[in-house]
């Protein structure tokens, strides 16, 4: 049996799946669905393998095995909570016992919300406020040979964009006699300016995403051409 190089196999699979994904250009079809299902299946299998070998095995199964082998049951007290959580989640497989899993799910959602909130504060809100303040730092601007007028201009634009964009998401309104609601005129004016800043930002983000997608498509098409040339020996 002739030996098939690994590079040829990977190249053929890349060629095949690229064609399956690009087939979506002619509309939703079974070929595209096959590629999507395979991608979801492989991603799920990879995530399960990572969870088993990098979370459950070293942090739960190995410590539990050491406790059972050494008889140090006092150290096994710390494993009671994760074991109960694991058992509660597995109970979701039974319709009658699925309600017990809410305890673990509530804990996970609460912990996730706390981590997300802390990450938003320390990673987005506080750095945004600090960066807005730093735009008015004249000493830092002087170190970069930037004039005072440029510092004030950049800082004003940044501060205006931050304040007006936040005002756009202010949904407080007063109720009129006819039952309708309307925000204050000043808030509406500020929010209108914020809409301009948000539109510019979304336009820039869309342009970046489009450029990245176009680059990825060019790379895939180039790989198809290279594979075909290599397959047929075309220089």
């Amino acid at each position: 049996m002739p030996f098939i190089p690994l590079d040829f196999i990977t190249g053929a699979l890349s060629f095949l799946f690229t064609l399956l994904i690009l087939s979506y250009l002619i509309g939703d079809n079974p070929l595209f669905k096959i590629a999507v299902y395979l991608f979801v299946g492989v991603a799920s299998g990879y995530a399960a393998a990572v969870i088993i070998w990098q979370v459950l095995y070293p942090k739960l199964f190995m410590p539990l095995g050491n406790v059972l082998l050494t008889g140090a049951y006092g150290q096994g007290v710390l494993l009671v909570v994760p074991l109960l959580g694991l058992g509660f989640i597995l109970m979701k497989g039974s319709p009658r016992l699925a309600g017990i899993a809410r305890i673990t799910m509530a804990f996970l959602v609460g912990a996730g919300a706390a981590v997300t909130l802390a990450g938003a504060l320390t990673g987005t809100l506080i750095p945004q406020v600090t960066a807005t303040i730093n735009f008015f730092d004249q000493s830092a601007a002087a170190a970069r040979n930037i004039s005072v007028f440029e510092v004030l201009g950049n800082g004003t634009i940044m501060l205006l964009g931050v304040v007006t964009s936040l005002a756009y998401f202010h949904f407080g309104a007063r109720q009129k006699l006819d039952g309708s609601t309307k925000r204050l005129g000043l808030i509406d004016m500020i929010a209108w300016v914020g809409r301009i800043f948000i539109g510019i930002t979304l336009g820039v983000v869309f342009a970046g995403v489009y450029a990245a997608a176009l680059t990825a498509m060019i790379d895939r098409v180039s790989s198809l051409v290279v594979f075909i040339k290599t397959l047929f020996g075309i220089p």
Side-chain angles (χ1 to χ4, degrees):
M1 181 177 179
F3 175 74
I4 302 177
L6 181 61
D7 293 340
F8 177 81
I9 297 176
T10 56
L13 290 176
S14 301
F15 178 81
L16 175 62
F17 282 106
T18 301
L19 291 180
L20 293 179
I21 294 297
L22 292 178
S23 67
Y24 188 73
L25 294 175
I26 61 176
D28 196 5
N29 58 85
L31 297 178
F32 175 77
K33 291 182 178 180
I34 291 174
V36 172
Y37 293 157
L38 287 174
F39 174 77
V40 173
V42 172
S44 301
Y46 177 78
V50 170
I51 292 173
I52 291 174
W53 293 107
Q54 296 189 12
V55 179
L56 294 179
Y57 181 74
K59 298 183 181 301
L60 182 60
F61 297 150
M62 283 189 63
L64 181 62
N66 292 332
V67 168
L68 295 177
L69 292 175
T70 59
Y73 298 105
Q75 299 178 359
V77 175
L78 299 176
L79 300 176
V80 173
V81 174
L83 285 174
L84 286 176
L86 178 61
F88 289 164
I89 290 180
L90 293 178
M91 289 181 182
K92 289 183 69 68
S94 172
R96 297 178 58 185
L97 302 176
I100 302 178
R102 296 175 183 172
I103 300 174
T104 304
M105 299 305 298
F107 174 78
L108 292 177
V109 171
V115 172
T116 303
L117 180 61
L121 288 175
T122 60
T124 302
L125 186 59
I126 295 177
Q128 181 69 49
V129 174
T130 304
T132 305
I133 295 174
N134 289 339
F135 268 98
F136 293 93
D137 190 353
Q138 298 183 10
S139 59
R144 295 182 294 169
N145 296 324
I146 299 177
S147 65
V148 177
F149 297 102
E150 187 176 353
V151 172
L152 294 177
N154 293 337
T156 302
I157 294 174
M158 178 64 69
L159 181 62
L160 183 65
V162 171
V163 173
T164 56
S165 297
L166 291 176
Y168 177 79
F169 295 99
H170 174 73
F171 299 108
R174 294 183 178 180
Q175 187 172 9
K176 295 184 178 181
L177 296 177
D178 58 358
S180 62
T181 57
K182 182 176 178 59
R183 294 189 297 187
L184 294 176
L186 179 61
I187 298 296
D188 265 340
M189 293 177 58
I190 298 175
W192 183 82
V193 178
R195 186 184 305 175
I196 298 176
F197 279 96
I198 293 173
I200 294 174
T201 303
L202 293 178
V204 173
V205 171
F206 176 77
V209 172
Y210 178 77
L214 187 61
T215 303
M217 188 185 72
I218 293 174
D219 178 71
R220 285 290 85 203
V221 173
S222 176
S223 67
L224 292 177
V225 174
V226 171
F227 178 77
I228 293 174
K229 288 183 176 181
T230 304
L231 182 62
F232 293 100
I234 301 174

